[in-house]
Amino acid sequence: MRSLLDIHSVTKNEVYTIFNQASEYLLNPKDDVLVGKNIVLGFFEASTRTRISFDVAIQRLGGKSIQFLAQGSSISKGESFVDTIHTLNQYRIDGWIIRHAYALSPHLVQNETNSPVINAGDGSHQHPTQALLDAYTILQHLGNLEGKKILIVGDILHSRVARSEMELLQLLGASVGICAPGTLLPKYMEIPNYFPTIQQGMQWADAIITLRLQKERMVSGIIPSESEYQQYYGMNEKLLQSFPHVLVLHPGPANYGIELSMECMNYANVLIREQVKHGLAIRMAVLKHCLT
Ligand code: CP
């Protein structure tokens, strides 16, 4: 058994093992590899896609999920994160899925419990299963990631998805490009191919991943205005019609009218719904890979 805390610790072989298993689960979404196992869904920060897909994935693999949501828990009475983990750990837990607003919280759970932990998103640090499902989705359409050009657009500074994806896409042989205002770029990050506008980026890219503006992690004054942001970095119908071969992804949840217009959802090369579907199969495959 192993943890999945970040993309850095995953090999190319493991990635393709997970992808192959996900393809099998898309065809036949049932298995019994988690029968008898209790897995905590520890969500200390909001989620729809990641939490529900992990929950369904555990059920389809025959396991039992134990839901912990910070809202409504004794955290509101002052119980600490570590005390909460030790309390839950008394119930014979076989694995943990942890989302938290603070980076490295899943690592802390692994250290405290010595059990396998899957990182479901920690602060601005990592979101490995999102990167896996996005790379898998692109791969299904392009056939191969070797030498393909993938542009990541938007709020790189606060995005755990961007950090995981840059590592994973490069591990799989893709070239990564970045398009973002300077205020939404981390100072220490090496930027491989920079594009100042989404229009310029689309001329280069085979696929683009637009990111949510993470207002909950922002200080004020970081972008001039949402409408200006939309003008330079937002996806719209005109761009989709000018570049019909470019795949468009968004990890969700989307701010329509900022990262992309609502009408974009009607285009066949916008893969947002498909990403959600693949998320379940990828998370089933990750659970099998890590917990059996
Ligand atoms: N992409 C993603 O992590 O979505 P949720 O916050 O809904 O889980």
Side-chain angles (χ1 to χ4, degrees):
M1 295 207 281
R2 62 155 295 172
S3 290
L4 176 60
L5 298 175
D6 50 41
I7 289 295
H8 194 66
S9 59
V10 182
T11 65
K12 203 169 171 175
N13 265 350
E14 282 184 287
V15 172
Y16 282 109
T17 301
I18 290 167
F19 284 178
N20 290 337
Q21 184 63 66
S23 295
E24 284 182 33
Y25 283 145
L26 274 174
L27 294 174
N28 181 19
K30 199 129 181 72
D31 206 339
D32 58 4
V33 290
L34 293 187
V35 169
K37 290 195 192 280
N38 298 316
I39 296 148
V40 169
L41 290 169
F43 278 71
F44 296 80
E45 192 190 55
S47 166
T48 297
R49 280 150 280 264
T50 312
R51 182 171 66 84
I52 303 295
S53 59
F54 265 122
D55 194 8
V56 175
I58 291 165
Q59 292 171 41
R60 292 206 176 158
L61 297 174
K64 287 211 167 60
S65 59
I66 297 165
Q67 297 260 356
F68 174 86
L69 304 180
Q71 209 176 21
S73 75
S74 289
I75 297 257
S76 63
K77 301 176 199 162
E79 189 159 41
S80 73
F81 176 61
V82 170
D83 271 349
T84 303
I85 296 303
H86 282 296
T87 300
L88 296 172
N89 203 31
Q90 302 314 305
Y91 305 142
R92 203 185 68 72
I93 301 306
D94 300 294
W96 302 77
I97 293 159
I98 298 291
R99 168 168 291 193
H100 203 293
Y102 291 160
L104 303 178
S105 301
H107 301 62
L108 192 56
V109 176
Q110 187 189 254
N111 291 346
E112 293 290 326
T113 66
N114 264 327
S115 302
V117 178
I118 298 170
N119 184 350
D122 61 328
S124 300
H125 178 224
Q126 285 274 314
H127 194 349
T129 58
Q130 183 69 47
L132 286 165
L133 76 91
D134 289 348
Y136 178 82
T137 302
I138 296 170
L139 192 63
Q140 297 310 297
H141 286 261
L142 298 183
N144 190 355
L145 280 168
E146 203 68 48
K148 296 295 188 299
K149 297 170 185 159
I150 317 294
L151 183 72
I152 304 179
V153 180
D155 187 358
I156 314 288
L157 179 64
H158 302 101
S159 178
R160 53 197 176 207
V161 175
R163 283 174 183 76
S164 292
E165 280 177 346
M166 284 175 77
E167 281 184 56
L168 179 61
L169 292 167
Q170 290 178 97
L171 176 71
L172 301 181
S175 293
V176 174
I178 295 292
C179 171
T183 49
L184 290 179
L185 287 173
K187 299 249 173 315
Y188 56 84
M189 188 181 270
E190 214 173 286
I191 306 294
N193 301 286
Y194 178 73
F195 298 91
T197 67
I198 191 167
Q199 167 115 24
Q200 286 162 285
M202 278 192 91
Q203 290 171 28
W204 173 84
D206 296 301
I208 85 160
I209 301 168
T210 59
L211 298 173
R212 181 172 69 87
L213 268 190
Q214 301 199 19
K215 295 179 202 170
E216 74 277 20
R217 299 189 217 279
M218 278 183 189
V219 293
S220 63
I222 207 161
I223 55 168
S225 70
E226 286 179 1
S227 62
E228 278 196 36
Y229 180 89
Q230 216 271 333
Q231 193 181 330
Y232 290 101
Y233 309 103
M235 179 58 61
N236 56 45
E237 281 192 279
K238 197 165 159 230
L239 285 171
L240 287 174
Q241 285 159 9
S242 305
F243 303 97
H245 63 283
V246 179
L247 304 174
V248 176
L249 295 89
H250 189 304
N255 296 305
Y256 290 110
I258 302 178
E259 299 110 41
L260 75 168
S261 66
M262 182 64 98
E263 295 73 30
C264 294
M265 294 304 282
N266 301 325
Y267 286 75
N269 54 327
V270 176
L271 307 178
I272 296 172
R273 303 272 186 257
E274 200 174 309
Q275 285 171 265
V276 175
K277 187 172 86 173
H278 289 163
L280 175 57
I282 285 287
R283 288 180 176 122
M284 286 176 76
V286 165
L287 284 163
K288 179 175 180 182
H289 186 70
C290 292
L291 300 185
T292 66

